[in-house]
Amino acid sequence: MSENFETIAIRSQIERSSHKEHSSAIYLTSSYKFDDAEEMRALFANEKKGNVYSRYSNPNTSEFIEKMCLLEGAEDGFATATGMASIFTTFGAFLKSGDHIVSSRSVFGSTHQLLTTVFAKWGVTFDYADLDKPQDWEGLIKPNTKMIFVETPSNPGIDIIDLEFLAGLAKKHNVLFVVDNCFATPYLQQPIKLGADISIHSATKYIDGQGRVLGGIILGSKVLIADIIAFARHSGPSLSPFNAWILSKSLETLAVRMDRHCENALKVAEYLEKHPKIKLVKYPFLKSHPQYEIAKKQMTQGGGIVTIVVQGGIDGARKFMDGLKMFSISANLADTRSIATHPATSTHSKLTEEQRLEVGIEQGSIRLSIGLEHINDILKDIEDALA
């Protein structure tokens, strides 16, 4: 097998059936037939490899997992119904009452709700740390800390922290290091190769890349994923075979899509950085980004997300968004189509104003997911909306 990302993503697939199909078949089955009673016993006892029930495994989910493991340098994985199911399953598999997490302050709104509401009522505590203050992280680690969790680049602040630094910190204190790698994808950043124990993706985003299906995946060592599987077999967050088939096919174009996303996003960021109606632009590969050097070290390109702050606060943000004609106004991101989101009133609306400001979300903040349209059309839509 080739060592090149694009070839692995295209040529890795499950064994062909007797029909010799070129594209992987879809296995829309909830269960499987056993040759005899002994085979059924051996499969359920894990003495023999095979499928017993699609909540546990399915040929399509297995193909998707195997591809993602190859692309990100992981030993094993488990595919889930959504990205949030991956985060919940990871927390649920490794945390118990009395445990503590150190998390990046800038996390997706639903991850914030898991920490502050769901796991809090089960006796799991947490402390937030700022991505731009790495010197503060070690002081937050306690005897009962079990996990360091981080998004980098973060949603929607596009903040970045040195993954090798956090990996060293986690190893020093014998805690799990978990990275939400959604914005970067394995094409731009590979946390496990930088020392992370677990890498998580919302496959709904760039892995699919066309706004069609929901999905998530957890990647790590065989030992850690065994604990994930033990939890997931009974809690049931499994990815559907059809969605797994879509996501596996989507991986075949991930590299070419990400190249275009990154190319377009950098041009948008450079344009907006000079615009008088824009107060701030955050993009990893802009030299003005506070963690530009770290981004260059651990990412191959800057990604497809540009976060801006429009002059005029909430009124300025609304005027800009309402002026967009081609961009979609949506809470999603990472689509072929360019999308504008106002985090303060959508994805991060459950945070208080103070909490939003702590992670750089102002009333004028807008998250731009730059799509694959022609760059001239993207820039013209933005220019007209700012006029």
Side-chain angles (χ1 to χ4, degrees):
M1 173 60 72
S2 169
E3 294 182 357
N4 295 306
F5 188 100
E6 296 87 342
T7 305
I8 292 170
I10 292 168
R11 287 292 174 178
S12 301
Q13 67 181 81
I14 52 176
E15 186 177 348
R16 291 184 174 92
S17 75
S18 59
H19 299 291
K20 299 182 180 179
E21 64 279 352
H22 190 214
S23 177
S24 297
I26 307 175
Y27 290 86
L28 294 180
T29 181
S30 60
S31 55
Y32 304 86
K33 181 181 175 295
F34 310 109
D35 291 339
D36 49 40
E38 171 55 24
E39 184 185 38
M40 186 177 189
R41 183 207 65 78
L43 283 164
F44 272 86
N46 294 322
E47 294 173 7
K48 181 178 179 180
K49 286 188 176 182
N51 297 305
V52 299
Y53 193 53
S54 282
R55 176 154 55 89
Y56 304 161
S57 65
N58 173 281
N60 295 120
T61 56
S62 295
E63 179 181 282
F64 175 52
I65 291 165
E66 288 168 13
K67 276 191 180 183
M68 287 294 291
C69 286
L70 288 169
L71 296 176
E72 195 143 348
E75 292 180 353
D76 205 355
F78 185 81
T80 63
T82 67
M84 284 312 304
S86 285
I87 294 174
F88 176 83
T89 300
T90 301
F91 287 178
F94 296 112
L95 300 171
K96 65 182 185 304
S97 180
D99 287 346
H100 174 257
I101 307 175
V102 177
S103 169
S104 54
R105 189 184 306 279
S106 185
V107 292
F108 180 56
S110 292
T111 306
H112 173 76
Q113 290 298 311
L114 282 184
L115 292 170
T116 59
T117 305
V118 178
F119 281 89
K121 73 179 180 183
W122 294 333
V124 176
T125 58
F126 73 95
D127 279 298
Y128 277 146
D130 296 304
L131 291 173
D132 60 349
K133 297 177 182 176
Q135 69 277 5
D136 293 347
W137 284 68
E138 186 163 22
L140 297 173
I141 296 175
K142 303 175 182 179
N144 62 331
T145 301
K146 293 296 187 296
M147 183 183 294
I148 292 174
F149 176 83
V150 64
E151 287 181 12
T152 181
S154 66
N155 180 13
I158 317 296
D159 292 312
I160 291 168
I161 195 167
D162 191 323
L163 290 174
E164 289 181 318
F165 160 75
L166 284 183
L169 199 61
K171 186 175 182 180
K172 176 181 176 181
H173 292 274
N174 194 31
V175 299
L176 279 176
F177 179 30
V178 180
V179 177
D180 183 335
N181 197 33
C182 174
F183 272 23
T185 81
Y187 185 58
L188 305 183
Q189 179 172 268
Q190 298 173 337
I192 290 172
K193 291 183 178 179
L194 295 171
D197 296 302
I198 289 175
S199 179
I200 292 173
H201 294 269
S202 172
T204 310
K205 308 304 189 295
Y206 286 113
I207 304 301
D208 172 34
Q210 294 170 70
R212 299 170 297 184
V213 299
L214 302 174
I217 193 162
I218 308 162
L219 302 165
S221 68
K222 286 187 177 296
V223 171
L224 291 176
I225 298 301
D227 288 336
I228 293 286
I229 292 170
F231 180 84
R233 281 172 72 101
H234 305 296
S235 55
S238 310
L239 181 65
S240 76
F242 179 76
N243 286 10
W245 179 81
I246 289 284
L247 293 168
S248 184
K249 295 299 292 181
S250 297
L251 284 173
E252 296 181 11
T253 61
L254 179 62
V256 292
R257 286 188 285 109
M258 291 309 298
D259 283 341
R260 182 63 171 267
H261 281 300
C262 295
E263 178 186 349
N264 281 352
L266 180 58
K267 288 177 180 176
V268 167
E270 290 172 340
Y271 167 76
L272 288 173
E273 195 171 36
K274 300 171 185 175
H275 201 287
K277 291 188 178 179
I278 299 300
K279 179 180 172 184
L280 177 70
V281 179
K282 291 286 285 294
Y283 183 71
F285 272 35
L286 277 184
K287 290 184 179 179
S288 59
H289 191 290
Q291 295 95 41
Y292 169 77
E293 294 298 335
I294 297 172
K296 293 284 285 187
K297 182 180 80 166
Q298 66 191 27
M299 297 175 68
T300 56
Q301 297 181 75
I305 307 297
V306 179
T307 294
I308 63 174
V309 180
V310 179
Q311 298 282 7
I314 184 68
D315 292 334
R318 283 176 175 162
K319 182 177 182 295
F320 170 72
M321 292 184 69
D322 290 345
L324 292 166
K325 302 303 180 187
M326 186 184 74
F327 273 71
S328 304
I329 297 178
S330 173
N332 197 26
L333 57 90
D335 202 306
T336 53
R337 294 156 288 196
S338 294
I339 293 171
T341 307
H342 187 248
T345 56
S346 60
T347 57
H348 292 70
S349 59
K350 298 297 186 290
L351 278 66
T352 66
E353 182 71 11
E354 181 182 2
Q355 289 170 333
R356 286 194 291 267
L357 289 173
E358 285 176 335
V359 294
I361 301 174
E362 301 181 29
Q363 287 298 326
S365 295
I366 295 172
R367 186 185 68 197
L368 298 175
S369 176
I370 306 302
L372 306 184
E373 304 95 343
H374 195 284
I375 186 60
N376 291 351
D377 295 320
I378 294 172
L379 291 175
K380 184 179 187 307
D381 201 35
I382 292 172
E383 183 179 358
D384 290 348
L386 288 171

